[in-house]
Amino acid sequence: MDSSDKSKWNKYIAHPDIQLGNHQSVLEHLLGVSALTAKLATKIGFAEQGRLIGLLHDFGKYSTEFQEYTRLIITEQKGYNPNNDEGNNIRKGYFQ
């Protein structure tokens, strides 16, 4: 995937960051979870299955409805606790 493809997919938000505005894209989230689930599934011999599960687990976040909901949260800046977000924990290295 080249950089123009990534920028197209990075506009979809998986986890908004209300405080800093560093929203996690759906692509970043799915790739990160995929790497984690592949690593965990390796222990039982199912790395590729784990990778696929990670890629698909939140694919619905690409939907128009979810993106509208996410943008509403960002606009209203309420109803979202960034300290209770697994995406932030992965970025901070808690699951590595």
Side-chain angles (χ1 to χ4, degrees):
M1 182 179 304
D2 66 27
S3 61
S4 64
D5 287 336
K6 281 188 179 179
S7 66
K8 178 176 80 171
W9 290 105
N10 280 336
K11 71 178 184 174
Y12 295 94
I13 298 172
H15 296 282
D17 180 350
I18 300 302
Q19 294 174 341
L20 302 176
N22 299 321
H23 309 306
Q24 184 184 37
S25 72
V26 176
L27 178 62
E28 178 186 14
H29 174 65
L30 295 179
L31 292 175
V33 172
S34 177
L36 177 63
T37 53
K39 182 178 178 180
L40 294 172
T42 297
K43 297 175 182 179
I44 58 170
F46 290 101
E48 291 307 309
Q49 291 86 344
R51 186 177 322 283
L52 182 60
I53 289 167
L55 283 174
L56 297 176
H57 86 282
D58 265 349
F59 202 76
K61 288 187 176 185
Y62 280 116
S63 72
T64 301
E65 293 81 6
F66 184 81
Q67 291 303 306
E68 288 172 355
Y69 169 72
T70 301
R71 294 189 195 301
L72 179 65
I73 289 172
I74 294 167
T75 302
E76 292 184 356
Q77 297 186 7
K78 64 182 181 181
Y80 182 78
N81 180 356
N83 296 319
N84 188 23
D85 175 34
E86 72 278 1
N88 285 334
N89 293 333
I90 290 170
R91 283 183 297 214
K92 290 176 186 171
Y94 295 144
F95 293 114
Q96 297 185 13

